[in-house]
Structures are given as structure tokens and as C-alpha cells.
Amino acid sequence: KVLSVFALSTLLFNACSTNIPKGSNVNIKKDVSINNTSWKLVEEDEIVKGFNGEDVHLTITENGTKVNGFAGCNKFSTETVLSAENISFSPIASTKMLCPTIKTEDSFLALLEDTNRYEIKGNELYFYKGNMLLLKFKSN
């Protein structure tokens, strides 16, 4: 009786296990949370760099109400309203340094304010206005 229970347990365990060798680097894409993740702006599959080579990025707080980040020249912050797939941003506040990339930063912040919908696929975050893709981000 004990032997048959052990044999059945072994059979069930082996049926549920995968055949991935130990130590192999298998990347399983899982959707990450929009909150508490550093999202780096991506253009043509390259992370967008701002002044002094710093990544253009944003982070949404755990409760989904505040956003802060780096827009390419200046740090910025705003408040947000977040639901299942909709997002809206309050007017954005930022520091006021003058940089050679200020036009890129102004465009980024304007697109951020136009965003009304988002989607997460794997480790990528997409911001839309309606069905028009505005911005794409990647997490680490």
C-alpha cells in the first residue's frame, strides 16, 4: 500500500514537471506590474538617452496615483488616475534646466499628457491616445 502511494506520487510529480534542464537560461515572459517599476522609454528598440546619457524613464507609485521620472533633461512628477486599462495624467511639473535635448523632452511630456490608455505585454508598456500608439517603454 505504501509503495503504491509512493509510485502514484512520483508519477504525478513527474507528469507536472517540465523538461527544462537545471541551470538553463529560459526566459519566461511574465507581465510586470505597472506600479513600482522603472519604465524606460524605447524608440526603435533602443532605450532613449537624455542629457549626460541618463535613460529617459518614469515610475508609477504603488497605489497608482503619482508618477516621477526623468524626461531627458529635467526630472518630472505628476499625478495620475489609473484603472484596468485607462490612464490619465495631471499637468506635469518639472525642474527647469536648459539642455540641448529640450525639444525631445517637450515632445515626450506632451505625449505623456495626451495618453489616455495603456497596455502591458511582457516587460513592455505601451501608452496610447485612443488606438494611436504614443510611447513605448521597457522594464529591466
Side-chain angles (χ1 to χ4, degrees), residues 51-52 73-74 94-99 102 105:
F51 191 65
N52 289 334
C73 181
N74 291 286
S94 70
T95 56
K96 299 293 181 195
M97 291 178 41
L98 184 59
C99 301
I102 200 71
E105 176 173 302

Side-chain angles (χ1 to χ4, degrees), residues 70-140:
F70 177 70
C73 181
N74 291 286
K75 293 182 180 189
F76 72 93
S77 64
T78 185
E79 293 185 359
T80 184
V81 176
L82 188 63
S83 67
E85 64 182 37
N86 297 317
I87 189 168
S88 62
F89 297 94
S90 297
I92 296 171
S94 70
T95 56
K96 299 293 181 195
M97 291 178 41
L98 184 59
C99 301
T101 57
I102 200 71
K103 287 184 181 178
T104 303
E105 176 173 302
D106 290 344
S107 296
F108 168 67
L109 294 176
L111 290 172
L112 199 59
E113 285 185 334
D114 283 347
T115 299
N116 61 14
R117 187 172 72 82
Y118 76 95
E119 201 172 76
I120 296 178
K121 295 179 185 174
N123 68 336
E124 296 178 341
L125 171 64
Y126 300 88
F127 281 173
Y128 297 90
K129 181 175 185 177
N131 289 324
M132 182 173 58
L133 178 63
L134 300 178
L135 298 166
K136 177 181 173 183
F137 300 88
K138 280 190 176 180
S139 67
N140 292 344

Side-chain angles (χ1 to χ4, degrees), residues 16-36:
C16 295
S17 68
T18 61
N19 292 324
I20 300 171
K22 285 186 180 180
S24 64
N25 288 335
V26 176
N27 292 329
I28 299 172
K29 281 195 171 184
K30 270 175 80 175
D31 285 348
V32 293
S33 171
I34 193 170
N35 297 325
N36 292 330

